Amino acid sequence: MNKPEGNPQTLSELDRPNSYIGKSVPRPNLDRLLQGRGLYVSDLELPRMTHVVFVRSPYAHARIVAIDTSAPKKMPGVIAVVTGEELAAVITPWVGVLSHLKGLKSAPQRAIAVEKVCWQGEAVVAVVATSRAAAEDAAEAVSVDYEELEAVTDMRTALDTETPVIHASLGDNLAFERVLDAGAVDAAFAESDEVAEAEFVFGRHTGVTLEPRAVVADWNAAEVRLTIYQGTQAPHMVRNIAALHLGLEEAQVRVICKDVGGSFGIKVHIYADEMATYALSKMLRRPVKYVADRMESFNTDIHARDHRCRGRIGVKRDGTITAFEIDDLTGIGPYSMYPRTSAIEANQVVNLVGGPYTTKNYRARTRVVFQNKNVMCQYRAVGHPIACSVTEGLVDLAAMKIGMDPVEIRRRNLIADDAYPCTSASGLRFELLSHHQSLNKLLKMMDYDALRAEQAGLRKQNIHRGIGIASFIEVTNPSAAFYGVGGAKISSQDGVAVRLDAQGAVFVQTSITEQGQGSESLTAQIVGSVLGVSMEKVRVMSGDTDQTPYGGGTWASRGAGIGGEAALQAAKVLKRNILDVAAAILQSTPSELDIANNAIVTANDGTPRIELRELARIVYFRPDTLPPGIQPELMATRHYVPREYPFAFTNGVQASWLEVDIDTGFVKLLKHWVVEDCGTIINPQLVDEQIRGGVVQGLGAALFEKCLYDERGQLTNANMAEYLVPMSGEMPDMEIGHIVSPTADSELGAKGAGEAGTAGAAAVVANAVNDALAPFGAVITEIPLTPELILTALKRI
């Protein structure tokens, strides 16, 4: 990792010789996972546990005429065969809307379809049996008669008058529309020397997590309580929603989340089959287990992106960008996803297009339409890859129009690093970003001028390589104004409880969850640094609504920025409590003492005075020896939510160096660079891992991944043989650098880094491919950049 640049703020509690902040400390859970001792939902076995398999619609749009369940009910091992109408008596439907997204609408969605199915893969019948195999056999014996209806598949015609309306009660297929008009757009375009425009097309893709969605629901009739074991990013949100729709109090629901094999936003939503599993457990009064198979994952895990965005940019001959304009269209499936809704991504696109640049002239429209395909919702870097690709693609087109180097046009238009705080054309308030520092560092890392010279030499040999550059802004650390204001019970705060046990070890309970990104490690590093204890003495517990403080969980790159700040504040309180007790024992004052190397020490010279385990022994077992009036409290809990800014915005810039084979259309990725600014870096290795992982997902979208539907709404590549994901052999070397601009909204100063890699990766690859194809006059504004697409642009096919 390159050495971070910028102006790190001084952290009085953390900027100490033995601090773990800024160090690449191994993950505390690493040995356990490498030894195969992870505990996933699929591993869970409970007494009297049953297995559910869902009979799913083969049609994208159809009426359910009749269901015959008589045959499967007689089969060995079958416990129940349940239809949507029967399950509706146990669980209520839901509607995925937020009140602050004005005009957003959706139809009520049920755990199992009643009367009509709206996408291929929607559950129609649940078969519960003593084993998965028995349930699968019985599911094949269920007979369902359908009346196929015309499917709405093309987002471009979804709003036409002759197109069927999927939900008659809604009146049309428009889920949401937003229009923004800032500055003097028409005048800016009229005064421009050149105007470039293009339609940007983004393929629909999905998350492909290593571990599929999985849940075990266990209704305990004696306790009148439901325990849900689920791989989820937001346990408290799941508890709230399960209670709400099952007619329970929240205290009657416990959600436990152990190890999770990847999420990427896929596991932050509420799915109909999961809700059905909760309800079936309550109905049957015994544990019910559901684990999606890979085909079910493709057909029911949320999909993402799938935008068509027409954009325009105005530019002066001196490189000044005068205006941006976009018209975005996206299809989200038949329902707005619950409870976060499927309008957030389109809304983010409007917010972020043009964000890094100084022009205040910006016009945008986005429309979100219903269609008979699998549901769409938030996925890693929500809206960022769309906004970045459109913005940076337009900037490159503008540079081509005026014959200016892509780097130079960015230098002349990026918001100055000393211009903050400022407000974007879309109304976003930026606290502190570092576009120019980031760009300068990137150019140095990649040796831009040398690459340009190499590119020119290779073109003479008929070798076509391209350089792509893209600046981006990432939205992290959402505040209370994000979901709660719209009526969704999704907490924006997180909480951490820290306690010193009787042996001098530290136990931490946190509401953020571990999805593989290192939440346990960053929490332990912060707490260990504040308390002056070694990492092996800190144990972090998460993912249990009965045991952890109330909080939002892990999403929107908020683990370090929000959960980390809560950990810092809780640890500071506990440290003060420990020093108060230590001062009484040592007949000193708290200001004269500190904690280091698992012991109370003299603050000015570090002389050891008493070990923490000895202090804990006295507090827990011999408090009679303490002076009168001393009441030790060796546990502290704190919550944190940002208040000054609605989000913590991070930024960065990426670059791609690649080669295009003009005979085959294949793209070879040669090198990828990222410079990002996530504020205070807690664990450099974890941050870089997150960025690299994000880049890989962005490269997958750029070159490989696409859910292919036919005109009847059938997903034709719902398998790992035909849905292409990036493999290690296709990936380039990645070099990561950092600028550090801490947020002043928290003492820790951390922002988020989990989505930065994904935000700009597709944009730089697209720009690099177009740069490689520049001698042929070919411009492509669609991803994934398949060989067929490239050869078509080259007029080879």
Side-chain angles (χ1 to χ4, degrees):
M1 186 196 79
N2 280 271
K3 183 179 179 181
E5 299 174 10
N7 299 299
Q9 66 188 42
T10 300
L11 302 169
S12 57
E13 292 289 342
L14 304 176
D15 189 20
R16 309 192 315 172
N18 294 319
S19 172
Y20 292 105
I21 302 303
K23 296 180 180 177
S24 294
V25 178
R27 303 173 185 229
N29 60 356
L30 195 59
D31 288 343
R32 178 175 62 82
L33 294 174
L34 289 175
Q35 292 175 28
R37 295 181 179 275
L39 182 59
Y40 301 89
V41 174
S42 295
D43 300 321
L44 191 63
E45 296 289 338
L46 298 178
R48 299 178 66 246
M49 189 169 75
T50 62
H51 299 258
V52 62
V53 167
F54 294 97
V55 178
R56 298 184 181 276
S57 170
Y59 299 105
H61 199 197
R63 284 194 185 87
I64 302 171
V65 178
I67 301 175
D68 184 355
T69 61
S70 57
K73 286 180 178 178
K74 300 173 185 176
M75 294 179 70
V78 174
I79 293 167
V81 183
V82 182
T83 66
E85 192 169 338
E86 292 168 331
L87 201 65
V90 182
I91 190 166
T92 59
W94 54 89
V95 180
V97 296
L98 291 170
S99 60
H100 65 302
L101 294 178
K102 294 181 180 179
L104 173 61
K105 63 190 181 187
S106 184
Q109 186 178 0
R110 296 184 178 275
I112 298 178
V114 176
E115 297 182 353
K116 189 172 82 164
V117 291
C118 293
W119 85 89
Q120 178 213 356
E122 186 171 8
V124 178
V125 177
V127 179
V128 184
T130 53
S131 70
R132 173 71 178 249
E136 288 180 346
D137 289 344
E140 292 182 4
V142 175
S143 176
V144 184
D145 290 335
Y146 298 94
E147 177 192 341
E148 188 175 4
L149 303 172
E150 183 180 350
V152 180
T153 57
D154 191 339
M155 69 173 78
R156 292 169 294 184
T157 60
L159 301 179
D160 293 353
T161 54
E162 60 269 25
T163 300
V165 176
I166 297 173
H167 304 292
S169 61
L170 300 181
D172 56 32
N173 292 323
L174 181 66
F176 176 68
E177 181 174 17
R178 180 186 172 193
V179 176
L180 172 72
D181 200 337
V185 177
D186 291 332
F189 276 117
E191 295 169 3
S192 300
D193 293 320
E194 296 286 352
V195 174
E197 61 182 297
E199 183 179 43
F200 296 85
V201 181
F202 302 88
R204 173 187 273 245
H205 54 272
T206 187
V208 198
T209 55
L210 282 174
E211 179 199 19
R213 290 187 298 106
V215 58
V216 172
D218 182 12
W219 173 257
N220 187 320
E223 295 182 354
V224 197
R225 200 158 193 250
L226 178 67
T227 300
I228 298 170
Y229 303 87
Q230 185 167 334
T232 176
Q233 296 172 242
H236 284 96
M237 182 197 79
V238 171
R239 182 178 76 162
N240 170 268
I241 288 172
L244 175 65
H245 293 283
L246 290 170
L248 303 172
E249 296 294 325
E250 279 198 40
Q252 291 178 272
V253 180
R254 179 185 184 184
V255 178
I256 299 174
C257 175
K258 296 292 188 180
D259 294 307
V260 181
S263 293
F264 319 128
I266 295 294
K267 296 173 184 173
V268 78
H269 310 291
I270 295 294
Y271 291 83
D273 47 25
E274 296 166 355
M275 295 283 268
T277 304
Y278 311 156
L280 288 166
S281 179
K282 190 168 184 285
M283 172 188 279
L284 301 175
R285 299 160 66 94
R286 61 192 296 179
V288 179
K289 185 176 191 175
Y290 170 64
V291 179
D293 63 28
R294 188 55 67 181
M295 184 171 286
E296 283 180 303
S297 293
F298 276 112
N299 280 286
T300 62
D301 287 2
I302 60 105
H303 291 176
R305 316 306 189 228
D306 205 10
H307 286 249
R308 304 185 77 95
C309 186
R310 178 159 290 281
R312 283 205 303 160
I313 185 172
V315 63
K316 298 275 195 178
R317 288 193 183 88
D318 66 0
T320 302
I321 296 172
T322 57
F324 286 98
E325 183 176 18
I326 65 163
D327 191 349
D328 178 52
L329 178 67
T330 183
I332 59 165
Y335 300 100
S336 174
M337 197 66 175
Y338 189 63
R340 294 165 185 270
T341 84
S342 301
I344 294 294
E345 175 155 280
N347 198 58
Q348 290 278 64
V349 171
V350 172
N351 283 339
L352 293 173
V353 164
Y357 298 100
T358 55
T359 180
K360 296 296 183 183
N361 304 311
Y362 175 43
R363 180 183 293 141
R365 177 177 73 158
T366 189
R367 289 170 297 162
V368 178
V369 299
F370 295 116
Q371 54 187 175
N372 293 117
K373 296 180 180 179
N374 185 22
V375 287
M376 296 255 294
C377 206
Q378 288 96 310
Y379 169 62
R380 192 174 194 171
V382 184
H384 300 65
I386 311 300
C388 183
S389 293
V390 171
T391 302
E392 297 301 293
L394 288 172
V395 170
D396 266 23
L397 290 174
M400 280 189 265
K401 282 276 191 179
I402 61 173
M404 183 174 285
D405 184 90
V407 168
E408 185 58 30
I409 195 171
R410 286 172 171 83
R411 282 195 195 281
R412 298 187 183 196
N413 290 278
L414 288 169
I415 299 171
D417 292 351
D418 60 0
Y420 298 95
C422 68
T423 303
S424 73
S426 65
L428 299 178
R429 293 172 56 221
F430 298 142
E431 177 192 8
L432 181 61
L433 300 177
S434 56
H435 292 300
H436 288 273
Q437 285 187 80
S438 298
L439 180 60
N440 291 339
K441 182 159 189 170
L442 179 88
L443 297 175
K444 184 177 179 181
M445 286 166 55
M446 64 189 294
D447 198 351
Y448 180 76
D449 292 336
L451 273 187
R452 282 294 183 201
E454 182 180 349
Q455 178 190 44
L458 290 170
R459 279 180 177 171
K460 295 175 183 178
Q461 305 172 41
N462 202 33
I463 297 173
H464 296 278
R465 293 187 176 181
I467 301 171
I469 304 283
S471 292
F472 64 87
I473 291 173
E474 181 191 356
V475 178
T476 75
N477 294 14
S479 74
F482 199 53
Y483 284 117
V485 70
K489 298 276 182 75
I490 302 169
S491 179
S492 292
Q493 72 170 16
D494 272 298
V496 173
V498 184
R499 67 180 168 88
L500 183 71
D501 82 343
Q503 297 294 312
V506 177
F507 285 78
V508 184
Q509 297 160 294
T510 176
S511 61
I512 62 172
T513 53
E514 174 65 69
Q515 315 287 314
Q517 77 280 52
S519 294
E520 288 186 26
S521 183
L522 71 88
T523 303
Q525 285 180 250
I526 293 168
V527 171
S529 297
V530 173
L531 292 180
V533 299
S534 52
M535 284 277 288
E536 63 269 17
K537 293 264 188 191
V538 182
R539 181 178 178 184
V540 179
M541 295 164 286
S542 65
D544 187 338
T545 57
D546 269 14
Q547 302 295 330
T548 63
Y550 203 100
T554 299
W555 45 275
S557 302
R558 64 197 301 281
I562 297 180
E565 181 68 15
L568 171 64
Q569 297 304 329
K572 285 178 62 179
V573 174
L574 177 58
K575 179 181 179 180
R576 287 198 297 269
N577 293 349
I578 291 171
L579 293 181
D580 285 343
V581 177
I585 294 172
L586 299 171
Q587 298 182 2
S588 181
T589 62
S591 62
E592 295 176 314
L593 302 173
D594 199 356
I595 311 174
N597 300 318
N598 307 308
I600 306 298
V601 300
T602 303
N604 60 1
D605 60 11
T607 302
R609 301 290 299 278
I610 182 175
E611 290 189 359
L612 275 180
R613 62 183 301 147
E614 174 62 11
L615 179 143
R617 183 194 68 80
I618 294 170
V619 168
Y620 284 110
F621 307 121
R622 292 302 309 274
D624 58 294
T625 63
L626 295 173
I630 296 295
Q631 183 60 49
E633 180 58 72
L634 298 188
M635 184 170 185
T637 303
R638 285 295 181 271
H639 286 79
Y640 172 73
V641 65
R643 299 297 297 271
E644 182 64 26
Y645 287 86
F647 306 97
F649 290 98
T650 74
N651 71 277
V653 60
Q654 296 191 29
S656 176
W657 173 236
L658 54 76
E659 183 175 316
V660 179
D661 187 323
I662 61 172
D663 294 318
T664 66
F666 280 94
V667 175
K668 183 178 182 180
L669 301 169
L670 303 172
K671 190 72 182 283
H672 200 101
W673 297 267
V674 183
V675 175
E676 68 82 59
D677 184 345
C678 66
T680 301
I681 298 172
I682 297 167
N683 186 318
Q685 184 180 44
L686 290 181
V687 170
D688 287 1
E689 285 177 359
Q690 283 292 291
I691 291 171
R692 288 191 176 94
V695 166
V696 170
Q697 288 188 288
L699 296 177
L703 296 172
F704 306 108
E705 298 184 52
K706 188 175 184 180
C707 297
L708 300 173
Y709 280 87
D710 66 16
E711 67 280 356
R712 293 177 60 207
Q714 298 290 310
L715 180 58
T716 62
N717 64 333
N719 59 77
M720 294 300 291
E722 297 174 283
Y723 182 94
L724 303 180
V725 295
M727 306 290 281
S728 60
E730 288 98 27
M731 292 298 98
D733 287 337
M734 300 179 198
E735 189 174 346
I736 314 297
H738 297 280
I739 303 297
V740 175
S741 303
T743 173
D745 212 6
S746 68
E747 185 175 343
L748 184 61
K751 303 176 185 177
E755 297 162 289
T758 310
V764 292
V765 168
N767 284 351
V769 167
N770 284 330
D771 185 49
L773 300 181
F776 305 95
V779 176
I780 305 173
T781 54
E782 179 176 348
I783 60 170
L785 288 150
T786 61
E788 180 184 14
L789 200 62
I790 290 171
L791 292 177
T792 300
L794 289 170
K795 298 182 171 56
R796 300 292 177 97
I797 59 173

